[in-house]
Each structure stands twice: as C-alpha cells, then as structure tokens.
Amino acid sequence: MVRRTPKEFRNYNAYHDRGMMKWVTAYAMDELVKGIDQNRQEALKNNPTLPQMTPEEIDIKLTEAVSFNRPVKIQVHEKDKWGRQTDAIIGLFLGALSNGRLKIGDHWIQLEEIRHITVLHDDKWFQVTPFKEEALRVEEPTIQLVDEFNQDDSWIE
C-alpha cells in the first residue's frame, strides 16, 4: 500500500513573506540601456528634406558615381508614420533596368522615387582628424629654452 500525502491548494496571493521586495537585479541591464538609447535617437532624429533634383541632374550624379566607382546617398519621396523624412539609402550604384528601376546596394529603387542624390567621397588621409572630441586631445608641453650660459664677452677658464 502506497501512502499519499494530501494535496492542499493555497492561494498564491495569500502568501506573506517577511515584507521585503525581492529584485532580480537593482541595475538596468546593458541591453536595456542600449535599447533605451536607440529609441531616444530614433525619436529625436530629424532628416532634412533635400531639394528635388531633375532627372538630368540625377543622371549626371549616377554617371559620376559609376565613372569613379563611388557610393551614392539617395533620398526618396517617402515619409515614416510620424511624417518625417525616411533615412537615406546608401550604397554603390550597380545598374539600371529598362523600366526605370535602379539597383543601389541591396535595394531596388524606381527612378521616379528619387528626390535627391549625392555622390559620397572618401576622406583622404590628410583630411581625417584623429580626434573627434576636444576632450580626447592631449596638450603637449611646450619647450621653453633657458639661457643658462653666459653670453657676454668675458672669458672664463
């Protein structure tokens, strides 16, 4: 014969502890902080609406990008759900189809959707500033020359 213990149901909300709150952690996790920062940046971003370019101007910019193998930055006629200008599409111009579709990086864009196009130029090594913030720049001490020897006409042996 198997002896069984009686099963009792206790209401979870009726349980009383020592009156202390129990926390898994008292600090925000790194992922949470990064997510909050990304949401803040997304909410505060403001992409300016660039002027509309003519098809001839767009063609000139695309020709320049193909000739020099440079990436392009394209702003399209598209707004997000808050009415702000969407982010620009950046990539190499890889070609076009006869129906007016352009291949920019991984994206296919209709020629009529393009609002503004900019050819991106690489920074040259002599134009790059090594320090983005002034706080990181270390001031080098200046060398002061000290006149330690006598420069008059007297001779000392």
Side-chain angles (χ1 to χ4, degrees), residues 3 8 14 24-26 35 68 77 80 91-92 109 139 142 144 152:
R3 204 167 166 190
E8 294 180 13
V24 176
T25 179
F68 298 108
H77 290 290
D80 62 4
L92 286 173
I109 303 171
E139 293 295 327
T142 57
Q144 295 187 5
D152 60 358

Side-chain angles (χ1 to χ4, degrees), residues 7 50 54 59 61 86 91 100 110 120 124 140 143 151:
K7 306 285 186 203
L50 299 174
T54 63
D59 189 42
K61 294 290 186 178
T86 57
Q110 282 295 124
L120 301 177
K124 299 291 185 182
E140 295 183 15
I143 299 173
Q151 292 184 354

Side-chain angles (χ1 to χ4, degrees), residues 45-50 74-80 82-88 113 115:
K45 82 174 173 183
N46 184 18
N47 296 330
T49 302
L50 299 174
I74 295 180
Q75 188 178 66
V76 295
H77 290 290
E78 190 175 307
K79 303 279 184 184
D80 62 4
W82 292 287
R84 301 178 300 186
Q85 185 67 42
T86 57
D87 292 332
E113 293 176 0
R115 176 176 190 77

